Amino acid sequence: ATQTQTLLACRARIRAGPAGRRPEEASGPRCNRFANRISRPAYAEGLARAGMRLSSPAPDLEPLDAILPANNAPVLRPSAEGLELAELRWGLIPSSYKGAIRDWKYLTTNARIETVAQTATYKEAFRHRRCLVPASAFYEWTGEKGHKTKWSFSHADGEWFCFAGLWDEAATADGALESFSFLTTEAGPDVAPYHDRQPVILERKQYAGWLDKSLPLEAIARPPRGLLNAVKA
């Protein structure tokens, strides 16, 4: 199958999302998927270890084992009293977009760390609207079509973790829409045998620096060995 056929097949499986091509910001053709099975107490405990807190009690959200592009998923973003836990659409639609949601043709789930500061879709969110994307695991597939193996990547310490994220709000023809993306980087030694890219995963001590823009991109661009465990899912 051609790359276009592969992308269209991927998009056909995405709830509430239009078929379309992947922009240059994202990596090669694949279906994105991650999980969030974080309990309400686990949010409070994990953020406390990072020296942060929720601005209000976390809602009791349903466990999500397979978050797909165009699905809603929790993000953590700054508020006046701490961090707000909000559910946003996965696949960032920038504030400059005014059309219908169904006419947004790009699968903007991932922003490349190498170009996020210059890419039109992401640069304003990168400068002004950063967030944390909490996750329990993310998934990749290896092998040929019809014989693929699904791999689950979780944090080596067994705890939930956060991707470096961006969010934006667009005044679309269908109304206001908040959406997010997360950064990807060249795969580190844990992921390289399975894929050439991976999400940018922040250490807890880096959460505040990512959100207030004091953390240099160079500090999060090279994933260390031993960060992640991979198992067949």
Side-chain angles (χ1 to χ4, degrees):
T2 66
Q3 184 183 42
T4 300
Q5 289 170 330
T6 302
L7 290 172
L8 290 174
C10 176
R11 291 294 281 176
R13 295 194 295 273
I14 297 172
R15 176 175 64 82
R21 66 182 179 88
R22 181 184 296 272
E24 63 179 0
E25 296 94 326
S27 60
R30 62 181 174 127
C31 293
N32 299 262
R33 193 172 299 181
F34 71 100
N36 181 320
R37 299 182 288 269
I38 306 165
S39 69
R40 181 164 46 189
Y43 276 113
E45 293 167 7
L47 290 175
R49 290 198 294 272
M52 310 178 86
R53 65 182 183 87
L54 291 170
S55 56
S56 59
D60 199 6
L61 301 174
E62 291 291 326
L64 300 171
D65 289 318
I67 301 168
L68 301 173
N71 287 172
N72 287 343
V75 304
L76 292 160
R77 58 187 179 181
S79 71
E81 295 81 25
L83 291 180
E84 172 195 24
L85 185 65
E87 289 190 279
L88 277 58
R89 176 191 188 273
W90 186 24
L92 188 145
I93 297 179
S95 57
S96 57
Y97 183 72
K98 307 301 181 185
I101 297 171
R102 68 178 180 274
D103 294 332
W104 177 254
K105 301 300 184 182
Y106 301 110
L107 186 56
T108 48
T109 52
N110 305 150
R112 294 176 69 96
I113 195 171
E114 298 90 345
T115 58
V116 65
Q118 295 82 39
T119 302
T121 300
Y122 301 118
K123 64 182 182 181
E124 287 302 310
F126 174 72
R127 291 171 185 164
H128 304 296
R129 289 175 290 280
R130 297 188 183 187
C131 64
L132 306 172
V133 182
S136 302
F138 67 93
Y139 304 103
E140 294 294 352
W141 284 258
T142 58
E144 298 300 319
K145 184 178 180 181
H147 302 280
K148 288 187 176 294
T149 300
K150 181 181 178 182
W151 299 92
S152 174
F153 295 85
S154 57
H155 203 284
D157 67 8
E159 299 285 344
W160 64 274
F161 54 94
C162 285
F163 305 137
L166 314 169
W167 71 277
D168 212 340
E169 181 174 8
T172 74
D174 304 301
L177 177 71
E178 294 184 328
S179 57
F180 76 95
S181 177
F182 57 73
L183 269 61
T184 64
T185 189
E186 184 177 348
D190 299 335
V191 178
Y194 310 89
H195 201 274
D196 61 347
R197 304 286 297 180
Q198 72 167 76
V200 172
I201 298 173
L202 299 169
E203 299 179 46
R204 289 193 187 93
K205 65 183 181 181
Q206 295 174 324
Y207 290 176
W210 169 251
L211 294 173
D212 70 13
K213 299 175 282 296
S214 64
L215 181 70
L217 288 183
E218 294 78 9
I220 57 176
R222 296 289 177 264
R225 184 181 299 276
L227 177 69
L228 299 166
N229 289 330
V231 297
K232 288 184 180 180

